[in-house]
PDB file of all heavy atoms in Angstrom:
ATOM      1  N   LEU A1442     -58.734 -63.911  29.981  1.00 60.00           N
ATOM      2  CA  LEU A1442     -58.668 -65.202  29.395  1.00 60.00           C
ATOM      3  C   LEU A1442     -59.176 -66.241  30.626  1.00 60.00           C
ATOM      4  O   LEU A1442     -58.676 -66.127  31.700  1.00 60.00           O
ATOM      5  CB  LEU A1442     -57.293 -65.618  28.973  1.00 60.00           C
ATOM      6  CG  LEU A1442     -56.862 -64.723  27.832  1.00 60.00           C
ATOM      7  CD1 LEU A1442     -55.329 -65.188  27.460  1.00 60.00           C
ATOM      8  CD2 LEU A1442     -57.608 -64.990  26.505  1.00 60.00           C
ATOM      9  N   SER A1443     -59.886 -67.226  30.198  1.00 56.00           N
ATOM     10  CA  SER A1443     -60.226 -68.188  31.221  1.00 56.00           C
ATOM     11  C   SER A1443     -59.110 -69.082  31.490  1.00 56.00           C
ATOM     12  O   SER A1443     -58.183 -69.227  30.661  1.00 56.00           O
ATOM     13  CB  SER A1443     -61.585 -68.927  30.744  1.00 56.00           C
ATOM     14  OG  SER A1443     -61.261 -69.621  29.547  1.00 56.00           O
ATOM     15  N   LYS A1444     -59.169 -69.719  32.582  1.00 53.00           N
ATOM     16  CA  LYS A1444     -58.012 -70.682  32.949  1.00 53.00           C
ATOM     17  C   LYS A1444     -57.801 -71.726  31.846  1.00 53.00           C
ATOM     18  O   LYS A1444     -58.749 -72.386  31.371  1.00 53.00           O
ATOM     19  CB  LYS A1444     -58.382 -71.378  34.314  1.00 53.00           C
ATOM     20  CG  LYS A1444     -57.217 -72.224  34.715  1.00 53.00           C
ATOM     21  CD  LYS A1444     -57.516 -72.839  36.045  1.00 53.00           C
ATOM     22  CE  LYS A1444     -56.302 -73.635  36.526  1.00 53.00           C
ATOM     23  NZ  LYS A1444     -56.547 -74.244  37.871  1.00 53.00           N
ATOM     24  N   GLY A1445     -56.607 -71.815  31.296  1.00 50.00           N
ATOM     25  CA  GLY A1445     -56.228 -72.826  30.271  1.00 50.00           C
ATOM     26  C   GLY A1445     -56.611 -72.354  28.893  1.00 50.00           C
ATOM     27  O   GLY A1445     -56.222 -72.974  27.915  1.00 50.00           O
ATOM     28  N   GLN A1446     -57.116 -71.122  28.725  1.00 51.00           N
ATOM     29  CA  GLN A1446     -57.490 -70.639  27.379  1.00 51.00           C
ATOM     30  C   GLN A1446     -56.251 -69.940  26.852  1.00 51.00           C
ATOM     31  O   GLN A1446     -55.680 -69.091  27.498  1.00 51.00           O
ATOM     32  CB  GLN A1446     -58.649 -69.702  27.391  1.00 51.00           C
ATOM     33  CG  GLN A1446     -59.133 -69.149  26.109  1.00 51.00           C
ATOM     34  CD  GLN A1446     -60.269 -68.203  26.206  1.00 51.00           C
ATOM     35  OE1 GLN A1446     -60.492 -67.665  27.251  1.00 51.00           O
ATOM     36  NE2 GLN A1446     -60.886 -67.931  25.109  1.00 51.00           N
ATOM     37  N   GLU A1447     -55.820 -70.260  25.681  1.00 51.00           N
ATOM     38  CA  GLU A1447     -54.675 -69.610  25.037  1.00 51.00           C
ATOM     39  C   GLU A1447     -55.118 -68.464  24.340  1.00 51.00           C
ATOM     40  O   GLU A1447     -56.106 -68.357  23.640  1.00 51.00           O
ATOM     41  CB  GLU A1447     -54.006 -70.571  24.103  1.00 51.00           C
ATOM     42  CG  GLU A1447     -53.391 -71.804  24.723  1.00 51.00           C
ATOM     43  CD  GLU A1447     -52.839 -72.726  23.672  1.00 51.00           C
ATOM     44  OE1 GLU A1447     -52.679 -72.308  22.485  1.00 51.00           O
ATOM     45  OE2 GLU A1447     -52.574 -73.877  23.933  1.00 51.00           O
ATOM     46  N   GLU A1448     -54.257 -67.277  24.446  1.00 49.00           N
ATOM     47  CA  GLU A1448     -54.517 -66.086  23.741  1.00 49.00           C
ATOM     48  C   GLU A1448     -54.521 -66.380  22.211  1.00 49.00           C
ATOM     49  O   GLU A1448     -53.720 -67.108  21.715  1.00 49.00           O
ATOM     50  CB  GLU A1448     -53.511 -65.068  24.076  1.00 49.00           C
ATOM     51  CG  GLU A1448     -53.801 -63.684  23.398  1.00 49.00           C
ATOM     52  CD  GLU A1448     -52.967 -62.662  24.027  1.00 49.00           C
ATOM     53  OE1 GLU A1448     -52.323 -62.754  25.018  1.00 49.00           O
ATOM     54  OE2 GLU A1448     -52.790 -61.633  23.269  1.00 49.00           O
ATOM     55  N   ASN A1450     -56.994 -67.942  20.644  1.00 49.00           N
ATOM     56  CA  ASN A1450     -58.031 -69.021  20.406  1.00 49.00           C
ATOM     57  C   ASN A1450     -59.307 -68.651  21.123  1.00 49.00           C
ATOM     58  O   ASN A1450     -60.235 -69.529  21.129  1.00 49.00           O
ATOM     59  CB  ASN A1450     -57.485 -70.343  20.980  1.00 49.00           C
ATOM     60  CG  ASN A1450     -56.325 -70.764  20.211  1.00 49.00           C
ATOM     61  OD1 ASN A1450     -56.224 -70.480  19.048  1.00 49.00           O
ATOM     62  ND2 ASN A1450     -55.381 -71.562  20.887  1.00 49.00           N
TER      63      ASN A1450
END
Side-chain angles (χ1 to χ4, degrees):
L1442 297 175
S1443 62
K1444 185 176 181 179
Q1446 182 182 18
E1447 296 177 11
E1448 187 170 339
N1450 292 331

